[in-house]
């Protein structure tokens, strides 16, 4: 019971980090797009890179908090993020994933898993 509670809180910390980074970066880019002549298509790749960084960071935090099984913690974090985004897209906009989005979300899960693995390893080095 205690172990599953620790796993749940570590995943929750990772998800909070992901959504915090996503909200802050979205706000910054909304301001940039509003007050400059940049178009949304010109910052698409930057936003994708920031999404990958946010997922890596969330997986890293999940793995660091969990202290074991970082690949699983990162994968769960990425999968829950994907489910939340899918639910928002489906329920809010009545749209399903297209093939390009499926590739992105698989990459999101894999990046979060890598972050989880690194988070566990960095945490174990600092405690020795």
């Amino acid at each position: 019971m205690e172990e599953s509670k620790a796993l749940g809180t570590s995943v929750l910390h990772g998800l909070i980090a992901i959504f915090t980074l996503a909200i802050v970066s979205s706000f910054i880019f909304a301001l940039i797009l509003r007050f400059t002549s940049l178009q949304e298509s010109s910052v698409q790749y930057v936003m994708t890179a920031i999404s990958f960084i946010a997922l890596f960071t969330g997986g890293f935090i999940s793995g660091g908090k969990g202290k074991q099984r970082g690949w699983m913690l990162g994968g769960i974090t990425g999968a829950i993020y994907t489910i939340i985004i899918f639910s928002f897209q489906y329920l809010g906009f009545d749209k399903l994933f297209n093939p390009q989005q499926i590739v992105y979300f698989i990459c999101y899960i894999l990046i979060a898993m890598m972050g989880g693995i690194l988070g566990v390893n960095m945490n174990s080095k600092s405690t020795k």
Side-chain angles (χ1 to χ4, degrees), residues 84-96:
I84 291 170
I85 297 301
F86 175 73
S87 298
F88 181 78
Q89 182 175 331
Y90 180 71
L91 296 173
F93 298 109
D94 200 26
K95 290 184 180 179
L96 292 175

Side-chain angles (χ1 to χ4, degrees), residues 64-124:
K65 294 275 185 192
K67 298 182 180 93
Q68 59 183 345
R69 288 181 278 196
W71 64 272
M72 184 179 74
L73 290 172
I76 291 171
T77 304
I80 291 174
Y81 171 80
T82 300
I83 290 168
I84 291 170
I85 297 301
F86 175 73
S87 298
F88 181 78
Q89 182 175 331
Y90 180 71
L91 296 173
F93 298 109
D94 200 26
K95 290 184 180 179
L96 292 175
F97 282 162
N98 61 31
Q100 182 184 14
Q101 286 176 314
I102 292 172
V103 171
Y104 275 119
F105 285 114
I106 289 171
C107 290
Y108 285 162
I109 293 170
L110 292 174
I111 294 263
M113 288 173 90
M114 286 187 262
I117 291 168
L118 193 61
V120 167
N121 290 331
M122 294 299 279
N123 189 24
S124 64

Side-chain angles (χ1 to χ4, degrees), residues 3-126:
E3 182 179 335
S4 64
K5 186 176 178 181
L7 294 177
T9 56
S10 62
V11 169
L12 183 64
H13 279 91
L15 286 171
I16 290 170
I18 290 169
F19 282 108
T20 301
L21 288 170
I23 289 168
V24 168
S25 64
S26 294
F27 181 72
I28 290 170
F29 276 101
L31 289 175
I32 289 171
L33 290 172
R34 171 69 175 98
F35 295 112
T36 65
S37 62
L38 283 176
Q39 299 295 317
E40 189 175 344
S41 61
S42 63
V43 295
Q44 175 184 1
Y45 294 115
V46 176
M47 286 301 294
T48 302
I50 290 174
S51 297
F52 284 137
I53 291 168
L55 265 292
F56 183 84
T57 303
F60 186 86
I61 290 171
S62 291
K65 294 275 185 192
K67 298 182 180 93
Q68 59 183 345
R69 288 181 278 196
W71 64 272
M72 184 179 74
L73 290 172
I76 291 171
T77 304
I80 291 174
Y81 171 80
T82 300
I83 290 168
I84 291 170
I85 297 301
F86 175 73
S87 298
F88 181 78
Q89 182 175 331
Y90 180 71
L91 296 173
F93 298 109
D94 200 26
K95 290 184 180 179
L96 292 175
F97 282 162
N98 61 31
Q100 182 184 14
Q101 286 176 314
I102 292 172
V103 171
Y104 275 119
F105 285 114
I106 289 171
C107 290
Y108 285 162
I109 293 170
L110 292 174
I111 294 263
M113 288 173 90
M114 286 187 262
I117 291 168
L118 193 61
V120 167
N121 290 331
M122 294 299 279
N123 189 24
S124 64
K125 286 182 182 179
S126 65

